[in-house]
Amino acid sequence: PFPLSPFRRVEYSSHLRRYPGAAVYAYSAGPDGDRNRTGPPNGGALAPDLRDRIRPIPDHALRPGRHRLGYCVFLSNAARFVHRFEAADIPFCFTLYPGGGFQLDDARSDADLRRVCSSPCFRGVVATQRVTHRYLVDGEFCRPDQITFSFGGVFPLAELTAALPPRRRYGPGKPTFDVGFVAFKYSPRGTE
């Protein structure tokens, strides 16, 4: 998990706390983790009680019967690992956030989406935007009953907002309405 991405940290922490037998497999979990891409080794951004459940993605094939469910964040990760899930007969699902290999009306993205959703191990997809949900249905990438809609993301929002300072609302006591356009900055210069 990327330590500078609070929504990812909250999502993974929430999953690990809810499912005691779960683990997160990450490129950065080993001693030679790629710090520039995925953060410090051993789940450095997670609470100490969860860090031992962050493991490196194995170079070898997964063993059939060892895992009951696989889950990926982003289409690019699901497309990257679909063959591994199939080889080990692991049912899987993924969250289809904007970006992360997913683009509307893009041939490569559509091919990856079709490949992932047509896998015999595919069980479902979480759409986080209405346009994404509609795109999945209209494009017949999967059945509507395989789509779960969770606006914004798969994480407990209260955990992200708990540390925010109190806000003054437009109306009584505040004469302006503020609009912010915000994207997460993953690198020092924000080039992404």
Side-chain angles (χ1 to χ4, degrees), residues 14-96:
S14 175
H15 293 323
L16 291 173
R17 282 200 164 77
R18 179 162 183 176
Y19 303 104
V24 172
Y25 290 87
Y27 283 107
S28 62
D32 300 319
D34 180 351
R35 293 175 184 273
N36 294 324
R37 191 165 53 105
T38 54
N42 302 319
L46 296 184
D49 64 312
L50 300 176
R51 289 183 186 159
D52 66 336
R53 293 171 58 198
I54 307 296
R55 301 183 181 134
I57 293 173
D59 290 331
H60 56 81
L62 300 173
R63 289 185 308 218
R66 181 165 183 207
H67 301 87
R68 292 188 314 199
L69 179 70
Y71 168 71
C72 292
V73 175
F74 296 122
L75 173 60
S76 57
N77 289 325
R80 182 180 205 168
F81 293 105
V82 66
H83 71 281
R84 294 181 105 184
F85 292 138
E86 290 172 348
D89 196 28
I90 299 170
F92 73 92
C93 56
F94 71 104
T95 297
L96 187 58

Side-chain angles (χ1 to χ4, degrees), residues 24-178:
V24 172
Y25 290 87
Y27 283 107
S28 62
D32 300 319
D34 180 351
R35 293 175 184 273
N36 294 324
R37 191 165 53 105
T38 54
N42 302 319
L46 296 184
D49 64 312
L50 300 176
R51 289 183 186 159
D52 66 336
R53 293 171 58 198
I54 307 296
R55 301 183 181 134
I57 293 173
D59 290 331
H60 56 81
L62 300 173
R63 289 185 308 218
R66 181 165 183 207
H67 301 87
R68 292 188 314 199
L69 179 70
Y71 168 71
C72 292
V73 175
F74 296 122
L75 173 60
S76 57
N77 289 325
R80 182 180 205 168
F81 293 105
V82 66
H83 71 281
R84 294 181 105 184
F85 292 138
E86 290 172 348
D89 196 28
I90 299 170
F92 73 92
C93 56
F94 71 104
T95 297
L96 187 58
Y97 286 108
F102 174 59
Q103 295 181 45
L104 300 174
D105 301 315
D106 178 82
R108 178 172 174 109
S109 172
D110 286 355
D112 284 348
L113 196 53
R114 241 174 246 300
R115 167 66 178 101
V116 168
C117 293
S118 66
S119 169
C121 294
F122 171 74
R123 295 299 181 267
V125 57
V126 177
T128 62
Q129 304 292 319
R130 292 186 203 292
V131 66
T132 303
H133 185 277
R134 189 82 258 142
Y135 193 76
L136 289 166
V137 171
D138 291 348
E140 298 179 347
F141 290 96
C142 60
R143 298 185 322 264
D145 66 302
Q146 292 177 304
I147 305 168
T148 299
F149 183 69
S150 178
F151 181 74
V154 182
F155 48 81
L157 188 57
E159 289 187 36
L160 284 180
T161 58
L164 294 176
R167 294 184 183 184
R168 289 178 25 210
R169 304 282 180 199
Y170 171 71
K174 187 170 184 285
T176 60
F177 180 80
D178 304 321

